[in-house]
């Protein structure tokens, strides 16, 4: 089915208008910066940033301004009572006044709450003084602060756990009381907003069930005692289904009877809590105003959110779900007016989520997932019971009772039959089915308190509601999987820009109808469904951001003939020259949509740069793009590019494709069949446009961020398939059972002898590695070299803790591999710590291994050793390596290549391989080429072997097959004959045997190129080992050729690469992105692996961690994985989530690694860092348990020597306002601080003037806006100047995680409030990137009062907060101890940024004059006495000095942005609306070299330059450099040569 011929002209005007709207209102555009003005050599002015922001952005900045007003009364109050240096005593009236006048009066403004929480209101004032008698204002204030902390991602209960945890019970009790109060009953009751706050607090509690503090308080709310809220008849029904629960019910009553009366009353109140809350909620729902948003509606929405969260956890829904069903919560809400009102849209969405979880396919008591057949059986049983009751007691329903279930289980059918009953008979039917209360049944006093007695009474349920109850109970189940299968995987314009579906970036704190990632999941289907929805919405948000960025850059306009044209360009978007649908395949059996829909899009790339064109041409299979038109946006998947003949280019082809010379490129696209079917049907029925005729622009996306379609497709296929995780991991994966059940110590198939291969350097290292074991070597082998196997004997539990564990060492030798030097195996040289050894031991045993690696503790080395040990101990197994980034994967892979692993068994899949530090190609194609080349090398060895043997006439070395025959008939018989003539027992060998061993060796000629003599003749054992090594070498040739035979039989590269992945490679590495892209392909190939090692797992999303676990199809219904090793650090940054709502509300940033740690899964925390100076490690050491330093930290000289030019190796530098301003927010989240940017760059320039290599300096910041500003400053000040250049990296802290450098300059940017810097994880990353020097630029007064950062800033403030310098030191010469002050000069204290800039200016001028003076002396040797020459030289020197002043004057601009030709007092930078006046440009002056040439005509300009260079080289050669001489000399030489040349 093809669409009609397209006509774009009708939509062109709308296209232009819409794109302009995108640019003005939707786009998170990069702020418009003024041109950098001012004049100097390499140093220019940075002016403040201007930008046009959207209305929403302006609103956000207004709110932020409210938060950060300097003279805010709340801030002043905080400084007076709890946040200042000197505070007054606690006064409850202060809290009450603050609550009433500031919070309640302003309707609990988020801005005010944020101010209070940032000031430490909870930690410093409220909680230390809280008790059970605290007034309501104090309680609600505490709840507000806790809720705000949760919203900001902080550990909200940390201060409660540290101090007075016993008071938490009183807080929870008061929160429960507030949530149930009737706000209309009396004036002293909590308002509806305050009750909503209490409900939100309860939501936070159920999100923190891993904390014992919380679990103890909320367990009674959802325990078996909650069945008090059931009608007696319904409770008895439940007991009949589960008889053991009746015993538990009686036991609860007996236990409660023994408690004091007050405790019994308190427990009873908790058991009734949810019933009463639901009763209050349902009463409120019936009276909600359906025309506007009210506080009552917000309370109801939050209550629904609480019920959804409780139902989504097995531990909390086990008993409460029965209560929710019995109270008919869903039915009552669906029949309420608010459910269909416009303002109740969110209410309705939350209600659908609750309905889904109430009816979820799971056994509430056992937690067993119910299959589709089981759910059908349960449904039939319910309907059968209804038919039985109807047949016995209701003549009117006799036909209903006799019909089959499938003919009556629809809502319409039920309602039609029930209409035959009168109201009274209908109520009787419902009562007999225990759906409502039976008015004739007698009940106890407790039953009278039961909310169900009122809610389910006949008076409380009108006929319409009774019919709804019956229909909901007995109607056919709706399959959500069917709707998921019909869902389009690409977003459309309706979802991309619908903020009700995908919230925008201005999320503050609102209830949303979105799933959440908890610690626990109901079933695997539930896990996949939540991740599918959240990942889909996060992807849509990212696509929205990309489209809003790329499309306005094209600048569309209408031409003279109303044709659309584009005045701009975008790297990621290009106008479409032609688009057409070329093939629509017939639907598959059982489907209504086409099987595939293919289209061709034509792009003319002749107007773009070659680099951009090559990026477009690099689009490959699985890449996703978007077709954009005015009326629609449609996603598509690239199938490939067409060649000049119109054929799809095969990426596996051996030859390069032939492309059109016109640079017109045609791409074959795969459209979404589901969406295509919907679009065509809508167009045929006149319900929409022919969207496929309106596409004007094709947009591609960054490949690193473009895996969403593959991930969604994979999740959907896993939901349809019988997806299984290993049996030993299943319960832990869902969050239930014993967290340590998958630890190797509890696994049934634990290896008795653990093969550590070369983990230990020597025997002493082995003894050190097991301090809790008595290490025992065999007698006489106490000093035996590695490798080792170790058998662990743990003491029995009944022998107590004093019993000693033993480690029985079994040294063994590996077989000699040949007589050549390259046959000697490479051994590990790292002396692993005992903790690292325990991680390695766990990783090579069956089960789950979780390794927490603080910064610099050798996570990668541990991972590599685990892989190496598995490779050698289990040669039949295959190991999969997965990381988050290509950089980490390459680092891991480079270390693997350095170990004793055969190259033929290594394979790296995905992109980024070109960044490997090797000339070898480890991609699929590179490995195939390597194998084919290696095959030829081995066959040449076979040929050489055949030539050394006698009686070999046939040529058998041409193929792997003939080589195999050659081995069988000629090589193997010779070996058998040779060994048969020698004694079987080496200990019985004689001198004659020793001679015979060498004399009868059949391959002397073949090994003639080895070191001679081949046999030393000194020891029979040594010579036998050599002979066996030679046999191993020859056998390995033929064994390898046997493995390579498949590559001879397979002629297509595509087939060869598949065979390589499935059979040949034993260590396969890929990123999690590639795993998601290729999951379907790999599973279809029959891909198998036994072990998985996942690095950076704390930075990988839940679902992206899960997919690599199921890359292989189950075998006999079981997952074959034997070992899962997760390595990461949950104390560092989590996965990056761009949408704040998904991050804060849905907890999408949760990784599986972090979830396992929070669940209490046993983990190994590495406890020794080897990256940085010990004093610098102290800045984050406090956040880890027993983190020490590796021995080499104290031994290496670079850690003992001070940073030249700096008094301290790390320092916090206080940066005040610059030009009266601190941070600036030109657009939301695009935050900048010009003063810090200038200070950081000035410090970098200072370091460069001292000789620091640029590649050893990294500049980090916490915001993208500041990163862009610093890059602009560096570009203006340093980039074109040879003395400075650019630092190695200018990046944000988040993007730099996993990297390091010697020296880091860190800008924290914020001056108003801490923002997301309060996240300790981000600070840990920032403080742990530097090895030798860390200098932090920040507003000290802001950060040192933040409770979460208090520990770090207290350490930093122990040193002066003004920069302390030794400007006369040199990077190449200074050897001052790190902990000592200089004895040669006094420290220079830099008071502010302007002072630093002036110092850099003076140093730059002096350095350039030194260079110039050296050049003059070289050009005029011995001419100083000639008056005429001297006079000329004096004039030249004056002019050169002026030129040097002008050249160095840019350093002064560093402080002021305006250059003057002299070191005069510095001006301030112009405001955004001011015109900066350029400095007067000095007249051109002759250079020193040109002046010299006029006096000495024998010297050309080139001669002068050569003489300068020669003198400079001599000076450098004469200088003695203490350490790191090569790098530093080369660096200094390079930049000083550039200085002379310029």
């Amino acid at each position: 089915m093809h669409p009609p011929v397209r006509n774009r002209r009708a939509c062109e005007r709308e296209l232009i208008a819409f794109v302009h709207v995108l640019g003005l209102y939707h786009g998170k555009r990069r702020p418009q910066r003024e041109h950098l003005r001012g004049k100097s050599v390499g140093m220019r002015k940075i002016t403040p940033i201007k930008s046009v922001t959207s209305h929403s952005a302006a609103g956000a900045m207004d709110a932020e301004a409210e938060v950060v007003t300097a003279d805010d009364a709340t801030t002043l109050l905080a400084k007076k009572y709890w946040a200042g240096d000197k505070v007054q005593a606690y006064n409850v009236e202060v809290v009450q006044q603050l609550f009433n006048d500031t919070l309640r009066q302003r309707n609990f403004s988020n801005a005010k709450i944020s101010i209070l929480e940032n000031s430490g209101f909870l930690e410093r004032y409220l909680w230390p003084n809280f008790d059970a008698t605290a007034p309501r204002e104090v309680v609600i204030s505490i709840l507000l602060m806790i809720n705000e902390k949760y919203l900001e991602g902080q550990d909200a209960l940390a201060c409660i756990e540290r101090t007075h945890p016993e008071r938490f019970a009183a807080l929870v009790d008061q929160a429960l009381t507030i949530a149930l109060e009737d706000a209309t009953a009396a004036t002293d009751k909590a308002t509806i907003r305050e009750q909503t706050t209490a409900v939100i607090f309860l939501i936070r509690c159920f999100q923190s069930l891993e904390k014992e503090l919380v679990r103890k308080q909320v367990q009674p709310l959802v325990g078996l005692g909650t069945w008090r809220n059931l009608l007696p008849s319904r409770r008895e029904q439940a007991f009949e289904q589960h008889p053991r629960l009746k015993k538990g019910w009686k036991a609860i009553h007996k236990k409660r009877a023994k408690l004091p009366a007050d405790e019994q009353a308190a427990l009873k109140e908790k058991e009734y809590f949810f019933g009463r809350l639901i009763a209050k909620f349902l009463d409120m729902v019936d009276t909600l105003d359906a025309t506007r948003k009210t506080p009552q509606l917000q309370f109801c929405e939050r209550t629904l959110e609480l019920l959804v969260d409780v139902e989504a956890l097995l531990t909390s829904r086990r008993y409460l779900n029965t209560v929710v069903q019995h109270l008919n919560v869903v039915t009552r809400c669906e029949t309420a007016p608010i459910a269909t009102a416009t303002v109740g849209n969110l209410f309705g969405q939350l209600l659908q989520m609750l309905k889904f979880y109430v009816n979820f396919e799971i056994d509430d008591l056992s937690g067993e997932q119910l299959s589709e057949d089981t759910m059908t059986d349960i449904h039939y049983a319910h309907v059968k019971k209804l038919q039985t009751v109807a047949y016995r007691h209701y003549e009117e329903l006799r036909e209903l009772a006799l019909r089959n279930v499938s003919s009556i289980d629809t809502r319409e059918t039920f309602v039609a039959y029930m209409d035959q009953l009168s109201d009274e008979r209908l109520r009787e039917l419902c009562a007999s089915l225990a759906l409502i209360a039976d008015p004739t049944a007698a009940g106890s006093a407790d039953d009278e308190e039961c909310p169900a007695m009122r809610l389910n009474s006949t008076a409380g349920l009108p006929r319409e509601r009774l019919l709804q109850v019956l229909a909901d109970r007995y109607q056919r189940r709706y399959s959500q999987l069917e709707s998921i299968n019909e869902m389009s995987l690409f977003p459309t314009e309706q979802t991309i820009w619908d903020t009700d579906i995908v919230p925008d970036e201005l999320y503050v704190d609102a209830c949303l109808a979105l799933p959440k990632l908890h610690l626990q999941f109901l079933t695997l289907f539930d896990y996949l469904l939540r991740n599918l929805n959240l990942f889909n919405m996060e992807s849509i948000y990212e696509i929205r951001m990309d489209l809003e960025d790329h499309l306005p850059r094209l600048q569309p306009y209408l031409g003279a003939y109303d044709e659309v044209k584009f005045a701009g360009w975008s790297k990621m978007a290009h106008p479409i020259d032609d688009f057409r649908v070329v093939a629509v395949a017939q639907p598959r059996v059982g489907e209504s949509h086409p099987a595939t829909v293919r289209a061709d899009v034509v792009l003319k790339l002749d107007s773009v740069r070659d680099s951009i064109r090559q990026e477009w041409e690099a689009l490959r299979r699985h890449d996703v793009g978007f077709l954009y038109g005015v009326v629609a946006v449609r996603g598509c998947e690239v199938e490939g590019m067409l060649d000049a003949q119109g054929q799809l280019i095969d990426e596996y082809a051996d030859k390069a494709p032939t492309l059109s010379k016109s640079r017109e490129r045609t791409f074959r696209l795969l459209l979404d069949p589901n969406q295509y079917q919907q679009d065509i049907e809508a167009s045929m029925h006149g319900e929409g446009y022919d969207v496929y005729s309106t596409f004007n622009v094709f947009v591609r996306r960054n490949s690193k961020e473009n895996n969403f379609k593959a991930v969604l497709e994979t999740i959907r296929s896993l939901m349809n398939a019988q997806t299984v995780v290993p049996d030993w991991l299943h319960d832990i994966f869902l969050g239930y059972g014993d967290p340590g059940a998958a630890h190797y110590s509890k696994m049934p198939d634990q290896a008795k002898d653990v093969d550590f291969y070369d983990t230990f350097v020597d025997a002493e290292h082995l003894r050190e590695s097991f301090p809790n074991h008595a290490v025992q070597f065999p007698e006489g082998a106490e000093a035996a070299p590695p490798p080792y196997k170790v058998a662990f004997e743990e003491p029995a539990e009944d022998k107590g803790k004093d019993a000693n564990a033993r480690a029985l060492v079994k040294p063994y030798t590996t077989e000699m591999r040949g007589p050549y030097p390259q046959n000697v195996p490479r051994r590990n040289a790292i002396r692993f710590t005992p903790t690292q050894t325990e991680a390695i031991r766990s990783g090579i045993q069956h089960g789950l291994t979780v390794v927490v690696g603080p910064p610099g503790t050798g996570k990668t080395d541990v991972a590599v050793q685990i892989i190496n040990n598995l490779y050698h101990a289990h040669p039949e197994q295959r190991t999969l390596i997965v990381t988050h980034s290509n950089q980490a994967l390459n680092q891991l892979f480079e270390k693997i290549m350095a170990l004793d692993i055969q190259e033929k068994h290594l394979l790296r899949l995905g992109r980024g391989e070109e960044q490997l530090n090797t000339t070898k190609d480890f991609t699929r194609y590179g490995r195939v080429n390597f194998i084919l080349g290696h095959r030829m090398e081995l066959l040449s060895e076979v040929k050489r072997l055949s030539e050394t043997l006698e009686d070999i006439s046939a040529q058998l070395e041409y193929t792997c097959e003939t080589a195999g025959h050659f081995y069988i008939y000629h090589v193997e018989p010779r070996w058998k004959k040779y060994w048969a003539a020698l004694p079987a027992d080496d200990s019985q060998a004689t001198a004659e045997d020793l001679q015979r061993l060498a004399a009868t060796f059949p391959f002397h000629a073949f090994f003639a190129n080895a070191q001679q003599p081949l046999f030393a003749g000194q020891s029979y054992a040594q010579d036998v080992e050599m002979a066996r090594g030679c046999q191993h070498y020859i056998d390995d040739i033929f064994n390898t050729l046997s493995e390579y035979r498949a590559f001879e039989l397979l002629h297509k590269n595509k087939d060869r690469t598949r065979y390589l992945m499935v059979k040949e490679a034993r260590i396969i590495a890929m990123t999690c992105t590639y795993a998601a892209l290729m999951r379907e392909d790999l599973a279809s190939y029959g891909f198998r692996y036994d072990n998985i090692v996942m690095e950076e797992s704390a930075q990988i999303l839940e679902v992206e961690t899960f997919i690599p676990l199921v890359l292989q199809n189950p075998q006999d219904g079981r997952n074959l994985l034997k070992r899962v090793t997760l390595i990461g650090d949950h104390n560092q940054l989590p996965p990056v989530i761009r949408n704040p709502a998904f991050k804060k509300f849905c907890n999408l940033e949760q990784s599986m690694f972090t979830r396992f740690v929070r669940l209490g899964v046993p983990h190994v925390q590495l406890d020794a860092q080897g990256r940085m100076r010990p004093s610098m490690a102290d800045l984050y050491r406090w956040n880890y348990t027993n983190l020490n330093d590796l021995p080499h930290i104290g031994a290496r000289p670079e850690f003992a020597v001070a940073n030249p030019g700096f008094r301290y190796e790390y320092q916090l530098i206080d940066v005040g306002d610059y030009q009266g301003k601190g941070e600036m927010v030109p657009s939301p989240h695009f935050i900048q601080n010009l003063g810090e940017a200038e200070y950081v760059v000035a410090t970098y320039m200072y370091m460069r003037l001292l000789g620091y290599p640029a590649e050893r300096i990294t500049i980090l910041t916490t915001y993208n806006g500041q990163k862009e500003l610093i890059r602009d400053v560096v570009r203006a000040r340093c980039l074109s100047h040879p003395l400075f250049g650019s630092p190695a990296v200018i990046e944000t802290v988040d993007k730099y995680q996993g990297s390091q450098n010697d020296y880091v300059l860190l800008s924290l940017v914020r001056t108003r409030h801490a923002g997301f810097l309060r996240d300790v994880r981000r600070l840990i990353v920032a403080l742990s990137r530097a090895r030798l020097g860390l200098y932090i630029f920040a507003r000290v007064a802001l950060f040192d009062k933040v409770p979460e950062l208090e520990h770090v800033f207290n350490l930093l403030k122990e040193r002066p907060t003004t920069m302390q310098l030794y400007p006369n030191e040199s990077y190449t010469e200074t050897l001052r101890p790190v902990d000592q002050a200089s004895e040669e000069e006094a420290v220079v204290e830099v008071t502010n940024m302007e002072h630093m800039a002036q110092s850099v200016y003076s140093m730059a001028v002096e350095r350039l004059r030194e260079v110039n003076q050296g050049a003059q002396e070289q050009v005029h040797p011995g001419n100083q006495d000639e008056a005429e020459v001297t006079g000329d030289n004096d004039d030249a020197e004056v002019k050169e000095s002026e030129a040097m002043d002008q050249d160095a004057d840019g350093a002064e601009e560093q402080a002021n942005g305006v250059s003057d030709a002299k070191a005069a007092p510095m001006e301030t930078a112009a405001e955004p609306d001011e015109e900066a006046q350029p400095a007067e440009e000095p007249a051109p002056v002759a250079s020193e070299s040109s002046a010299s040439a006029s006096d000495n005509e024998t010297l050309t300009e080139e001669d002068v330059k050569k003489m300068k260079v020669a003198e400079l080289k001599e000076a450098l050669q004469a200088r003695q450099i203490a350490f790191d001489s090569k790098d530093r000399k080369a660096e200094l030489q390079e930049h000083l040569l550039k200085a002379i040349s310029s």
Side-chain angles (χ1 to χ4, degrees), residues 311-325:
E311 289 280 357
L313 294 172
L314 179 61
T315 51
S316 55
R317 72 173 274 136
R318 179 167 281 125
Y319 305 109
L320 191 63
N321 186 45
T322 305
V323 176
V324 174
Q325 287 180 334

Side-chain angles (χ1 to χ4, degrees), residues 104-149:
R104 179 180 281 177
Q105 188 176 4
R106 297 201 181 193
N107 287 326
F108 301 99
S109 161
N110 290 320
K112 293 298 180 185
I113 294 173
S114 179
I115 288 177
L116 289 170
E117 198 277 317
N118 276 295
S119 68
F121 190 36
L122 175 66
E123 299 90 337
R124 298 190 175 104
Y125 205 63
L126 292 177
W127 188 250
N129 300 288
F130 171 79
D131 58 33
T133 63
R136 185 180 308 278
E137 293 87 351
V138 174
V139 174
I140 298 176
S141 296
I142 293 176
L143 300 184
L144 287 169
M145 296 302 105
I146 291 176
N147 293 342
E148 180 68 15
K149 281 186 174 293

Side-chain angles (χ1 to χ4, degrees), residues 182-190:
D182 183 1
T184 61
T187 56
D188 62 340
K189 301 294 184 182

Side-chain angles (χ1 to χ4, degrees), residues 1312-1323:
R1312 299 172 180 172
H1313 61 92
F1316 66 27
L1317 290 176
R1318 297 181 60 201
D1319 190 339
V1320 176
R1321 298 172 299 181
R1322 181 167 284 102
L1323 188 66

Side-chain angles (χ1 to χ4, degrees), residues 938-986:
L938 295 180
L939 288 175
S940 65
E941 285 290 280
V942 173
K943 180 179 181 181
R944 188 169 69 86
L945 176 61
S946 66
E947 292 172 349
T948 63
L949 300 179
E950 300 176 356
D951 303 327
I952 305 296
S953 57
Q955 294 180 339
L956 303 174
E957 69 280 356
Y958 287 112
T959 67
C960 296
E961 182 180 9
T962 57
H965 293 308
F966 172 66
Y967 177 79
I968 293 172
Y969 294 110
H970 297 283
V971 178
E972 191 173 30
R974 284 174 167 80
W975 281 121
K976 289 181 178 179
K977 180 179 178 181
Y978 174 69
W979 291 116
L982 297 173
D985 188 354
D986 295 350

Side-chain angles (χ1 to χ4, degrees), residues 103 720 762 1329 1387:
L103 296 178
N720 283 277
D762 51 38
R1329 300 305 97 197
V1387 67

Side-chain angles (χ1 to χ4, degrees), residues 40 43-46 1218 1234-1246 1273-1274 1276-1278 1393-1394 1396-1398 1400-1401 1448-1459 1466-1467 1469:
S40 66
M43 303 178 187
R44 291 173 289 172
K45 173 185 175 182
I46 298 294
Y1218 176 54
L1234 183 57
E1236 283 190 18
E1238 296 281 14
Y1239 209 152
V1240 166
V1241 177
T1243 305
Y1244 165 73
M1245 297 170 71
Y1246 168 77
V1273 177
V1274 169
R1277 305 277 187 258
C1278 310
M1393 188 275 291
E1394 289 85 351
M1396 186 67 182
Q1398 181 64 47
V1400 172
Y1401 166 80
D1449 194 49
E1452 187 172 351
E1453 289 182 63
Q1454 173 83 4
N1456 302 283
V1458 178
S1459 176
M1466 298 168 285
E1467 304 174 15

Side-chain angles (χ1 to χ4, degrees), residues 715-784:
I715 296 174
R716 187 166 68 179
S717 66
L718 291 173
M719 295 173 75
N720 283 277
Q722 186 183 1
T723 304
V724 294
V725 296
D727 295 337
W728 50 267
L729 188 60
H730 182 270
D731 289 348
I732 294 176
F733 178 78
L734 294 179
Y736 303 109
D738 178 12
H743 190 257
Y744 72 87
S745 61
K746 297 184 179 180
M747 294 292 289
D749 49 356
Q750 183 180 168
K752 183 178 180 181
D753 294 338
V754 182
D755 189 351
F756 284 96
Y757 193 58
D758 62 350
T759 301
F760 307 107
V761 177
D762 51 38
E764 186 59 31
H765 180 203
L766 191 152
R767 293 186 180 92
E768 296 170 355
S769 299
F770 300 106
N772 298 324
H773 290 74
V775 179
Q776 297 180 6
F777 280 78
E779 186 176 353
E782 289 79 4

